[in-house]
Each structure stands twice: as structure tokens, then as C-alpha cells.
Amino acid sequence: MTQLIDGKRISGEIKEELKAEVAEMKAAGREICLAVVQVGEDPASSVYVNNKKKACAYIGIRSEAYELPESAEEEELLALVEQLNMDPKVNGILVQLPLPAHMDADKVIRTISPDKDVDGFHPVSVGRLWIGEKGFCSCTPAGIIELLKRSDISIDGKECVIVGRSNIVGKPMTALLLRENATVTVAHSHTKDLKKITKRADILIVAAGKQQMIDDTYVKDGAVVIDVGMHRNEQNKLCGDVDFEKVKDKVSAITPVPGGVGPMTIAMLMNNCVETAR
């Protein structure tokens, strides 16, 4: 019987734990504040920002929203970030991506103080992750580790294959799996004989950004499959990078889309916010 890894349930558990921790901090006179900056009115970004505000409200974290028009100059955004860096009441800073085309996202990320970088995107945060120092970790990879651990799936000594090498998922995922004593292979668009490599995986993590590209011919019997993808198919239904129906009966455990990795990203963002005050 295939185990369905329930990201909704696990993210709920994490939020309840954080809520209790934040209540204790408040009782001791410590408040946590997350500053959320959005430029323009991209509908998807607005949904994400709203979800983050709701999560903050539920856990007891104060959120401050800063909304700049699409036409804002890059200098205006950088000045706002610098101001938030200096504000002792602000624990974490999150600049919602993507930014308008006339802004340099990399420059903006580098302007955020590494000690307030709750997204874990700053080069200093990335460096700390790779050398095993304490720091903020990208939320999606951190969420995947929690999904595995809280589903009683052992990582130690396992052969893990990641399909995708992005800065947000693939690369930090590699570092986190190594930290858990896995043997890690990273595959990508230039990988030769992808099926041969993915079929070695005890744990297969797919973050390729291609709709349902992984079917049962890519997966070995009894593997664990984590699907990071999010797309809409021809019927306008949400689906992932993995063909769930073809794969589910071959594996020992799998994340659904939706309801798998997605809910964990915001839960781990909240965890990073609380980490600023720990």
C-alpha cells in the first residue's frame, strides 16, 4: 500500500508547534515581526502574500505589508529594504518575487540583511547552508526534509536523486540531503540517460518545472517520490512534474499535487521567522 505523504497535515502540525512557541515568547515580552514587500499587483504574487499574512496571523507573528507600485524605481525598493534592515522591531524581511523587469532581483536579495533573510536566498545564507553553519534555509527544501522525517522515511545512507538544479530548490536540497547523510545525485536538462539515473533513487525529488515528465518508467519499485512541480493541465486541474496516476502504485510513498510540498513552504517560512527570535 503506497503511503500518501500529507503535506497539509504535516504543515498543520508545524504551525501548531510554532503557535505555542510564539505564545510563550509573547508571554515573555518578545514579539516577532515579518515585513512583506510586494512590488506591483501580479495576481499570483498577491495570493502568495495573502497566504503568508494569514499564516502569520494564525501563528501570532505580526506582519507589516509594504506595497510599491509597478512603476517604482529600483532605488526606492532598495532604500525600503535598507530601512527595514535597520529597524530593530523587524525580525524578518521578505521581498515577494518575481519583481518587475526593470528591477534586479539578485541585487535586491543581496541588500537584505542575512540575519533577516527568512527566504534563505542571500549568498551568505546559501554559504552558511553549504558549510553547515546555522542560518536560514530555503523554505521548500527545508519543508521536504520535514515531510520525510515526519513520515518516518529514513534519509541516512539512502541514494537520493534530485531532478532540477535551481537556486531555490535543487541546489539547497542537495546540501540538506548531504547534511542528513544521503548520497546525492543532481540531474538536469543536460543529463544523459536520465531514466537510468532516476531509477537508482531510493528517494526521487523532482523539481524540473515540466508538467508530468516523470512517469513509472523513471522510477524503481518501492522508491519515495517527492513532487515539487505545480502546473495546470488541459482540464485546468493542478498537477505536478510527476504523472501521479502512473507512478503511485509502483512506489512506497509519494506526495500529491496539490497538498504535498506546497503547504510546507509557508510552514517553513514561518519557522524561519520564529528562528529569528529563538
Side-chain angles (χ1 to χ4, degrees):
M1 185 71 179
T2 302
Q3 177 186 358
L4 202 62
I5 300 173
D6 189 345
K8 272 189 180 172
R9 178 185 61 78
I10 294 169
S11 69
E13 286 174 7
I14 291 168
K15 285 177 185 173
E16 290 302 325
E17 291 164 13
L18 293 172
K19 188 178 182 180
E21 190 177 347
V22 169
E24 283 181 18
M25 287 179 176
K26 279 188 173 175
R30 295 162 70 202
E31 188 172 49
I32 302 170
C33 174
L34 172 67
V36 182
V37 182
Q38 183 178 357
V39 185
E41 295 173 7
D42 176 70
S45 290
S46 296
V47 169
Y48 291 138
V49 166
N50 208 31
N51 287 341
K52 287 164 187 172
K53 288 179 189 170
K54 280 183 190 168
C56 283
Y58 182 76
I59 289 163
I61 295 169
R62 185 162 63 87
S63 65
E64 290 182 356
Y66 296 86
E67 290 162 4
L68 300 179
E70 185 94 16
S71 58
E73 293 294 325
E74 186 182 274
E75 287 69 26
E76 188 181 346
L77 175 57
L78 294 174
L80 172 59
V81 170
E82 291 285 17
Q83 177 192 321
L84 295 170
N85 281 341
M86 301 300 290
D87 188 340
K89 295 193 297 296
V90 172
N91 299 77
I93 302 168
L94 187 152
V95 177
Q96 184 62 42
L97 303 176
L99 291 170
H102 66 280
M103 292 185 177
D104 182 347
D106 185 55
K107 190 174 180 183
V108 173
I109 288 166
R110 287 169 183 267
T111 304
I112 298 168
S113 164
D115 295 325
K116 297 188 178 187
D117 169 40
V118 288
D119 261 333
F121 293 164
H122 193 288
V124 169
S125 301
V126 176
R128 285 172 175 167
L129 172 64
W130 274 100
I131 63 172
E133 280 190 6
K134 204 165 175 57
F136 297 113
C137 178
S138 288
C139 301
T140 301
I144 290 168
I145 295 292
E146 285 297 314
L147 278 180
L148 293 168
K149 287 184 172 179
R150 290 175 185 246
S151 300
D152 296 320
I153 295 166
S154 169
I155 305 169
D156 195 306
K158 295 288 177 65
E159 178 137 15
C160 298
V161 175
I162 304 163
V163 183
R165 54 178 168 179
S166 72
N167 290 337
I168 293 172
V169 180
K171 290 175 186 172
M173 190 78 250
T174 306
L176 284 178
L177 288 168
L178 288 171
R179 191 183 283 186
E180 298 295 332
N181 300 315
T183 299
V184 187
T185 301
V186 182
H188 45 78
S189 57
H190 290 244
T191 298
K192 290 179 171 61
D193 202 352
L194 180 62
K195 282 185 186 181
K196 184 180 176 185
I197 290 167
T198 56
K199 286 188 92 161
R200 295 201 318 248
D202 300 313
I203 300 172
L204 177 62
I205 298 168
V206 189
K210 287 187 178 176
Q211 183 176 319
Q212 295 182 315
M213 71 169 281
I214 299 294
D215 62 20
D216 52 323
T217 63
Y218 285 82
V219 180
K220 80 171 178 183
D221 289 341
V224 173
V225 175
I226 306 290
D227 188 351
V228 185
M230 181 74 82
H231 314 274
R232 286 200 179 271
N233 64 16
E234 294 75 25
Q235 290 79 43
N236 204 34
K237 285 188 176 175
L238 288 170
C239 64
D241 288 355
V242 176
D243 192 325
F244 183 85
E245 290 303 320
K246 287 184 179 174
V247 169
K248 66 179 171 60
D249 294 327
K250 191 174 184 181
V251 298
S252 60
I254 189 170
T255 55
V257 176
V261 174
M264 296 300 294
T265 301
I266 287 184
M268 298 316 291
L269 171 67
M270 295 299 106
N271 184 68
N272 279 352
C273 291
V274 176
E275 184 64 35
T276 64
R278 282 185 181 128

PDB file of all heavy atoms in Angstrom, residues 187-216:
ATOM      1  N   ALA A 187      20.453  15.731 -11.227  1.00  0.00           N
ATOM      2  CA  ALA A 187      20.248  15.617 -12.673  1.00  0.00           C
ATOM      3  C   ALA A 187      19.563  16.876 -13.181  1.00  0.00           C
ATOM      4  O   ALA A 187      18.905  17.595 -12.412  1.00  0.00           O
ATOM      5  CB  ALA A 187      19.391  14.392 -12.981  1.00  0.00           C
ATOM      6  N   HIS A 188      19.703  17.132 -14.490  1.00  0.00           N
ATOM      7  CA  HIS A 188      19.154  18.385 -15.047  1.00  0.00           C
ATOM      8  C   HIS A 188      18.961  18.222 -16.550  1.00  0.00           C
ATOM      9  O   HIS A 188      19.070  17.109 -17.090  1.00  0.00           O
ATOM     10  CB  HIS A 188      20.089  19.558 -14.722  1.00  0.00           C
ATOM     11  CG  HIS A 188      21.535  19.244 -14.957  1.00  0.00           C
ATOM     12  ND1 HIS A 188      22.098  19.230 -16.211  1.00  0.00           N
ATOM     13  CD2 HIS A 188      22.512  18.882 -14.091  1.00  0.00           C
ATOM     14  CE1 HIS A 188      23.363  18.907 -16.115  1.00  0.00           C
ATOM     15  NE2 HIS A 188      23.645  18.676 -14.848  1.00  0.00           N
ATOM     16  N   SER A 189      18.689  19.328 -17.236  1.00  0.00           N
ATOM     17  CA  SER A 189      18.319  19.268 -18.658  1.00  0.00           C
ATOM     18  C   SER A 189      19.429  18.732 -19.561  1.00  0.00           C
ATOM     19  O   SER A 189      19.161  18.268 -20.666  1.00  0.00           O
ATOM     20  CB  SER A 189      17.893  20.661 -19.146  1.00  0.00           C
ATOM     21  OG  SER A 189      18.924  21.599 -18.929  1.00  0.00           O
ATOM     22  N   HIS A 190      20.676  18.760 -19.105  1.00  0.00           N
ATOM     23  CA  HIS A 190      21.791  18.254 -19.915  1.00  0.00           C
ATOM     24  C   HIS A 190      22.210  16.835 -19.507  1.00  0.00           C
ATOM     25  O   HIS A 190      23.172  16.299 -20.047  1.00  0.00           O
ATOM     26  CB  HIS A 190      23.001  19.192 -19.815  1.00  0.00           C
ATOM     27  CG  HIS A 190      22.796  20.507 -20.502  1.00  0.00           C
ATOM     28  ND1 HIS A 190      23.533  20.919 -21.587  1.00  0.00           N
ATOM     29  CD2 HIS A 190      21.909  21.505 -20.270  1.00  0.00           C
ATOM     30  CE1 HIS A 190      23.123  22.125 -21.979  1.00  0.00           C
ATOM     31  NE2 HIS A 190      22.141  22.491 -21.187  1.00  0.00           N
ATOM     32  N   THR A 191      21.507  16.251 -18.548  1.00  0.00           N
ATOM     33  CA  THR A 191      21.858  14.906 -18.080  1.00  0.00           C
ATOM     34  C   THR A 191      21.572  13.872 -19.167  1.00  0.00           C
ATOM     35  O   THR A 191      20.487  13.863 -19.750  1.00  0.00           O
ATOM     36  CB  THR A 191      21.055  14.558 -16.811  1.00  0.00           C
ATOM     37  OG1 THR A 191      21.403  15.492 -15.776  1.00  0.00           O
ATOM     38  CG2 THR A 191      21.344  13.147 -16.338  1.00  0.00           C
ATOM     39  N   LYS A 192      22.544  13.018 -19.408  1.00  0.00           N
ATOM     40  CA  LYS A 192      22.364  11.938 -20.386  1.00  0.00           C
ATOM     41  C   LYS A 192      21.762  10.710 -19.685  1.00  0.00           C
ATOM     42  O   LYS A 192      22.153  10.381 -18.573  1.00  0.00           O
ATOM     43  CB  LYS A 192      23.710  11.572 -21.032  1.00  0.00           C
ATOM     44  CG  LYS A 192      24.228  12.680 -21.956  1.00  0.00           C
ATOM     45  CD  LYS A 192      25.573  12.306 -22.554  1.00  0.00           C
ATOM     46  CE  LYS A 192      25.993  13.281 -23.637  1.00  0.00           C
ATOM     47  NZ  LYS A 192      26.146  14.657 -23.145  1.00  0.00           N
ATOM     48  N   ASP A 193      20.822  10.064 -20.359  1.00  0.00           N
ATOM     49  CA  ASP A 193      20.168   8.860 -19.853  1.00  0.00           C
ATOM     50  C   ASP A 193      19.572   9.091 -18.460  1.00  0.00           C
ATOM     51  O   ASP A 193      19.920   8.421 -17.473  1.00  0.00           O
ATOM     52  CB  ASP A 193      21.148   7.678 -19.826  1.00  0.00           C
ATOM     53  CG  ASP A 193      20.416   6.334 -19.838  1.00  0.00           C
ATOM     54  OD1 ASP A 193      19.169   6.349 -19.719  1.00  0.00           O
ATOM     55  OD2 ASP A 193      21.081   5.293 -19.958  1.00  0.00           O
ATOM     56  N   LEU A 194      18.645  10.059 -18.419  1.00  0.00           N
ATOM     57  CA  LEU A 194      18.019  10.456 -17.150  1.00  0.00           C
ATOM     58  C   LEU A 194      17.336   9.275 -16.463  1.00  0.00           C
ATOM     59  O   LEU A 194      17.449   9.100 -15.252  1.00  0.00           O
ATOM     60  CB  LEU A 194      17.003  11.581 -17.408  1.00  0.00           C
ATOM     61  CG  LEU A 194      16.263  12.113 -16.189  1.00  0.00           C
ATOM     62  CD1 LEU A 194      17.226  12.737 -15.189  1.00  0.00           C
ATOM     63  CD2 LEU A 194      15.200  13.144 -16.600  1.00  0.00           C
ATOM     64  N   LYS A 195      16.659   8.427 -17.239  1.00  0.00           N
ATOM     65  CA  LYS A 195      15.929   7.294 -16.641  1.00  0.00           C
ATOM     66  C   LYS A 195      16.858   6.371 -15.864  1.00  0.00           C
ATOM     67  O   LYS A 195      16.513   5.882 -14.794  1.00  0.00           O
ATOM     68  CB  LYS A 195      15.210   6.484 -17.733  1.00  0.00           C
ATOM     69  CG  LYS A 195      13.935   7.122 -18.222  1.00  0.00           C
ATOM     70  CD  LYS A 195      13.213   6.216 -19.206  1.00  0.00           C
ATOM     71  CE  LYS A 195      12.011   6.950 -19.794  1.00  0.00           C
ATOM     72  NZ  LYS A 195      11.262   6.112 -20.724  1.00  0.00           N
ATOM     73  N   LYS A 196      18.031   6.126 -16.412  1.00  0.00           N
ATOM     74  CA  LYS A 196      18.991   5.233 -15.749  1.00  0.00           C
ATOM     75  C   LYS A 196      19.360   5.781 -14.369  1.00  0.00           C
ATOM     76  O   LYS A 196      19.515   5.016 -13.401  1.00  0.00           O
ATOM     77  CB  LYS A 196      20.242   5.104 -16.625  1.00  0.00           C
ATOM     78  CG  LYS A 196      21.276   4.122 -16.099  1.00  0.00           C
ATOM     79  CD  LYS A 196      22.469   4.058 -17.024  1.00  0.00           C
ATOM     80  CE  LYS A 196      23.564   3.148 -16.469  1.00  0.00           C
ATOM     81  NZ  LYS A 196      24.775   3.169 -17.310  1.00  0.00           N
ATOM     82  N   ILE A 197      19.487   7.100 -14.289  1.00  0.00           N
ATOM     83  CA  ILE A 197      19.888   7.734 -13.027  1.00  0.00           C
ATOM     84  C   ILE A 197      18.715   7.772 -12.045  1.00  0.00           C
ATOM     85  O   ILE A 197      18.870   7.417 -10.871  1.00  0.00           O
ATOM     86  CB  ILE A 197      20.450   9.152 -13.295  1.00  0.00           C
ATOM     87  CG1 ILE A 197      21.806   9.003 -13.996  1.00  0.00           C
ATOM     88  CG2 ILE A 197      20.571   9.963 -12.018  1.00  0.00           C
ATOM     89  CD1 ILE A 197      22.348  10.251 -14.608  1.00  0.00           C
ATOM     90  N   THR A 198      17.530   8.178 -12.516  1.00  0.00           N
ATOM     91  CA  THR A 198      16.390   8.295 -11.596  1.00  0.00           C
ATOM     92  C   THR A 198      15.963   6.926 -11.057  1.00  0.00           C
ATOM     93  O   THR A 198      15.470   6.830  -9.936  1.00  0.00           O
ATOM     94  CB  THR A 198      15.186   8.992 -12.262  1.00  0.00           C
ATOM     95  OG1 THR A 198      14.817   8.282 -13.449  1.00  0.00           O
ATOM     96  CG2 THR A 198      15.504  10.435 -12.610  1.00  0.00           C
ATOM     97  N   LYS A 199      16.193   5.873 -11.843  1.00  0.00           N
ATOM     98  CA  LYS A 199      15.788   4.530 -11.391  1.00  0.00           C
ATOM     99  C   LYS A 199      16.708   3.973 -10.302  1.00  0.00           C
ATOM    100  O   LYS A 199      16.417   2.931  -9.711  1.00  0.00           O
ATOM    101  CB  LYS A 199      15.721   3.561 -12.582  1.00  0.00           C
ATOM    102  CG  LYS A 199      14.505   3.808 -13.460  1.00  0.00           C
ATOM    103  CD  LYS A 199      14.328   2.758 -14.517  1.00  0.00           C
ATOM    104  CE  LYS A 199      13.439   1.646 -14.014  1.00  0.00           C
ATOM    105  NZ  LYS A 199      12.872   0.844 -15.107  1.00  0.00           N
ATOM    106  N   ARG A 200      17.808   4.658 -10.034  1.00  0.00           N
ATOM    107  CA  ARG A 200      18.680   4.272  -8.912  1.00  0.00           C
ATOM    108  C   ARG A 200      18.153   4.813  -7.584  1.00  0.00           C
ATOM    109  O   ARG A 200      18.562   4.368  -6.514  1.00  0.00           O
ATOM    110  CB  ARG A 200      20.098   4.842  -9.100  1.00  0.00           C
ATOM    111  CG  ARG A 200      20.866   4.301 -10.271  1.00  0.00           C
ATOM    112  CD  ARG A 200      22.368   4.512 -10.071  1.00  0.00           C
ATOM    113  NE  ARG A 200      22.721   5.811  -9.535  1.00  0.00           N
ATOM    114  CZ  ARG A 200      23.379   6.768 -10.205  1.00  0.00           C
ATOM    115  NH1 ARG A 200      23.750   6.554 -11.459  1.00  0.00           N
ATOM    116  NH2 ARG A 200      23.684   7.901  -9.646  1.00  0.00           N
ATOM    117  N   ALA A 201      17.282   5.802  -7.658  1.00  0.00           N
ATOM    118  CA  ALA A 201      16.940   6.591  -6.471  1.00  0.00           C
ATOM    119  C   ALA A 201      16.075   5.825  -5.470  1.00  0.00           C
ATOM    120  O   ALA A 201      15.038   5.275  -5.832  1.00  0.00           O
ATOM    121  CB  ALA A 201      16.221   7.874  -6.891  1.00  0.00           C
ATOM    122  N   ASP A 202      16.511   5.841  -4.211  1.00  0.00           N
ATOM    123  CA  ASP A 202      15.636   5.430  -3.104  1.00  0.00           C
ATOM    124  C   ASP A 202      14.634   6.553  -2.838  1.00  0.00           C
ATOM    125  O   ASP A 202      13.478   6.300  -2.520  1.00  0.00           O
ATOM    126  CB  ASP A 202      16.461   5.181  -1.834  1.00  0.00           C
ATOM    127  CG  ASP A 202      17.508   4.094  -2.021  1.00  0.00           C
ATOM    128  OD1 ASP A 202      17.152   3.027  -2.560  1.00  0.00           O
ATOM    129  OD2 ASP A 202      18.668   4.328  -1.652  1.00  0.00           O
ATOM    130  N   ILE A 203      15.137   7.797  -2.935  1.00  0.00           N
ATOM    131  CA  ILE A 203      14.284   8.984  -2.782  1.00  0.00           C
ATOM    132  C   ILE A 203      14.498   9.847  -4.022  1.00  0.00           C
ATOM    133  O   ILE A 203      15.621  10.284  -4.295  1.00  0.00           O
ATOM    134  CB  ILE A 203      14.638   9.770  -1.502  1.00  0.00           C
ATOM    135  CG1 ILE A 203      14.449   8.891  -0.254  1.00  0.00           C
ATOM    136  CG2 ILE A 203      13.790  11.037  -1.397  1.00  0.00           C
ATOM    137  CD1 ILE A 203      14.956   9.518   1.035  1.00  0.00           C
ATOM    138  N   LEU A 204      13.437  10.074  -4.772  1.00  0.00           N
ATOM    139  CA  LEU A 204      13.491  10.879  -6.001  1.00  0.00           C
ATOM    140  C   LEU A 204      12.749  12.182  -5.772  1.00  0.00           C
ATOM    141  O   LEU A 204      11.556  12.181  -5.444  1.00  0.00           O
ATOM    142  CB  LEU A 204      12.868  10.104  -7.157  1.00  0.00           C
ATOM    143  CG  LEU A 204      12.770  10.816  -8.513  1.00  0.00           C
ATOM    144  CD1 LEU A 204      14.161  11.168  -9.054  1.00  0.00           C
ATOM    145  CD2 LEU A 204      12.017   9.955  -9.528  1.00  0.00           C
ATOM    146  N   ILE A 205      13.463  13.298  -5.923  1.00  0.00           N
ATOM    147  CA  ILE A 205      12.863  14.626  -5.733  1.00  0.00           C
ATOM    148  C   ILE A 205      12.843  15.325  -7.084  1.00  0.00           C
ATOM    149  O   ILE A 205      13.896  15.530  -7.704  1.00  0.00           O
ATOM    150  CB  ILE A 205      13.656  15.436  -4.689  1.00  0.00           C
ATOM    151  CG1 ILE A 205      13.599  14.714  -3.339  1.00  0.00           C
ATOM    152  CG2 ILE A 205      13.104  16.863  -4.569  1.00  0.00           C
ATOM    153  CD1 ILE A 205      14.546  15.237  -2.299  1.00  0.00           C
ATOM    154  N   VAL A 206      11.653  15.665  -7.552  1.00  0.00           N
ATOM    155  CA  VAL A 206      11.502  16.201  -8.907  1.00  0.00           C
ATOM    156  C   VAL A 206      11.103  17.671  -8.851  1.00  0.00           C
ATOM    157  O   VAL A 206      10.021  18.017  -8.386  1.00  0.00           O
ATOM    158  CB  VAL A 206      10.465  15.393  -9.715  1.00  0.00           C
ATOM    159  CG1 VAL A 206      10.499  15.825 -11.178  1.00  0.00           C
ATOM    160  CG2 VAL A 206      10.719  13.893  -9.601  1.00  0.00           C
ATOM    161  N   ALA A 207      12.015  18.527  -9.313  1.00  0.00           N
ATOM    162  CA  ALA A 207      11.778  19.976  -9.348  1.00  0.00           C
ATOM    163  C   ALA A 207      12.267  20.498 -10.695  1.00  0.00           C
ATOM    164  O   ALA A 207      13.106  21.382 -10.783  1.00  0.00           O
ATOM    165  CB  ALA A 207      12.517  20.661  -8.198  1.00  0.00           C
ATOM    166  N   ALA A 208      11.722  19.897 -11.762  1.00  0.00           N
ATOM    167  CA  ALA A 208      12.207  20.186 -13.118  1.00  0.00           C
ATOM    168  C   ALA A 208      11.412  21.293 -13.806  1.00  0.00           C
ATOM    169  O   ALA A 208      11.865  21.884 -14.775  1.00  0.00           O
ATOM    170  CB  ALA A 208      12.140  18.918 -13.960  1.00  0.00           C
ATOM    171  N   GLY A 209      10.198  21.543 -13.321  1.00  0.00           N
ATOM    172  CA  GLY A 209       9.361  22.568 -13.944  1.00  0.00           C
ATOM    173  C   GLY A 209       8.720  22.126 -15.247  1.00  0.00           C
ATOM    174  O   GLY A 209       8.319  22.956 -16.058  1.00  0.00           O
ATOM    175  N   LYS A 210       8.624  20.795 -15.468  1.00  0.00           N
ATOM    176  CA  LYS A 210       7.983  20.269 -16.680  1.00  0.00           C
ATOM    177  C   LYS A 210       6.814  19.376 -16.286  1.00  0.00           C
ATOM    178  O   LYS A 210       6.994  18.401 -15.541  1.00  0.00           O
ATOM    179  CB  LYS A 210       8.977  19.465 -17.521  1.00  0.00           C
ATOM    180  CG  LYS A 210      10.000  20.335 -18.234  1.00  0.00           C
ATOM    181  CD  LYS A 210      10.835  19.491 -19.186  1.00  0.00           C
ATOM    182  CE  LYS A 210      11.841  20.376 -19.940  1.00  0.00           C
ATOM    183  NZ  LYS A 210      12.719  19.563 -20.801  1.00  0.00           N
ATOM    184  N   GLN A 211       5.660  19.694 -16.799  1.00  0.00           N
ATOM    185  CA  GLN A 211       4.432  19.021 -16.406  1.00  0.00           C
ATOM    186  C   GLN A 211       4.472  17.517 -16.658  1.00  0.00           C
ATOM    187  O   GLN A 211       4.699  17.067 -17.777  1.00  0.00           O
ATOM    188  CB  GLN A 211       3.254  19.648 -17.167  1.00  0.00           C
ATOM    189  CG  GLN A 211       1.899  19.102 -16.798  1.00  0.00           C
ATOM    190  CD  GLN A 211       0.789  19.848 -17.516  1.00  0.00           C
ATOM    191  OE1 GLN A 211       0.830  21.064 -17.641  1.00  0.00           O
ATOM    192  NE2 GLN A 211      -0.214  19.128 -17.994  1.00  0.00           N
ATOM    193  N   GLN A 212       4.277  16.742 -15.593  1.00  0.00           N
ATOM    194  CA  GLN A 212       4.141  15.276 -15.630  1.00  0.00           C
ATOM    195  C   GLN A 212       5.223  14.581 -16.476  1.00  0.00           C
ATOM    196  O   GLN A 212       4.952  13.601 -17.168  1.00  0.00           O
ATOM    197  CB  GLN A 212       2.745  14.903 -16.141  1.00  0.00           C
ATOM    198  CG  GLN A 212       1.638  15.367 -15.181  1.00  0.00           C
ATOM    199  CD  GLN A 212       0.252  14.975 -15.628  1.00  0.00           C
ATOM    200  OE1 GLN A 212      -0.097  15.111 -16.793  1.00  0.00           O
ATOM    201  NE2 GLN A 212      -0.565  14.494 -14.706  1.00  0.00           N
ATOM    202  N   MET A 213       6.449  15.073 -16.384  1.00  0.00           N
ATOM    203  CA  MET A 213       7.529  14.498 -17.194  1.00  0.00           C
ATOM    204  C   MET A 213       8.004  13.139 -16.654  1.00  0.00           C
ATOM    205  O   MET A 213       8.543  12.321 -17.384  1.00  0.00           O
ATOM    206  CB  MET A 213       8.718  15.468 -17.288  1.00  0.00           C
ATOM    207  CG  MET A 213       9.507  15.635 -16.012  1.00  0.00           C
ATOM    208  SD  MET A 213      11.066  16.527 -16.231  1.00  0.00           S
ATOM    209  CE  MET A 213      12.137  15.267 -16.907  1.00  0.00           C
ATOM    210  N   ILE A 214       7.797  12.894 -15.350  1.00  0.00           N
ATOM    211  CA  ILE A 214       8.265  11.647 -14.738  1.00  0.00           C
ATOM    212  C   ILE A 214       7.106  10.665 -14.648  1.00  0.00           C
ATOM    213  O   ILE A 214       6.138  10.895 -13.918  1.00  0.00           O
ATOM    214  CB  ILE A 214       8.856  11.916 -13.332  1.00  0.00           C
ATOM    215  CG1 ILE A 214      10.062  12.872 -13.411  1.00  0.00           C
ATOM    216  CG2 ILE A 214       9.233  10.610 -12.646  1.00  0.00           C
ATOM    217  CD1 ILE A 214      11.278  12.335 -14.117  1.00  0.00           C
ATOM    218  N   ASP A 215       7.216   9.558 -15.397  1.00  0.00           N
ATOM    219  CA  ASP A 215       6.197   8.505 -15.287  1.00  0.00           C
ATOM    220  C   ASP A 215       6.820   7.267 -14.648  1.00  0.00           C
ATOM    221  O   ASP A 215       7.953   7.316 -14.142  1.00  0.00           O
ATOM    222  CB  ASP A 215       5.549   8.202 -16.649  1.00  0.00           C
ATOM    223  CG  ASP A 215       6.551   7.680 -17.679  1.00  0.00           C
ATOM    224  OD1 ASP A 215       7.640   7.201 -17.285  1.00  0.00           O
ATOM    225  OD2 ASP A 215       6.247   7.742 -18.886  1.00  0.00           O
ATOM    226  N   ASP A 216       6.104   6.138 -14.672  1.00  0.00           N
ATOM    227  CA  ASP A 216       6.568   4.944 -13.984  1.00  0.00           C
ATOM    228  C   ASP A 216       7.869   4.366 -14.551  1.00  0.00           C
ATOM    229  O   ASP A 216       8.581   3.633 -13.855  1.00  0.00           O
ATOM    230  CB  ASP A 216       5.477   3.868 -13.995  1.00  0.00           C
ATOM    231  CG  ASP A 216       4.946   3.595 -15.400  1.00  0.00           C
ATOM    232  OD1 ASP A 216       4.827   4.546 -16.188  1.00  0.00           O
ATOM    233  OD2 ASP A 216       4.657   2.431 -15.710  1.00  0.00           O
TER     234      ASP A 216
END
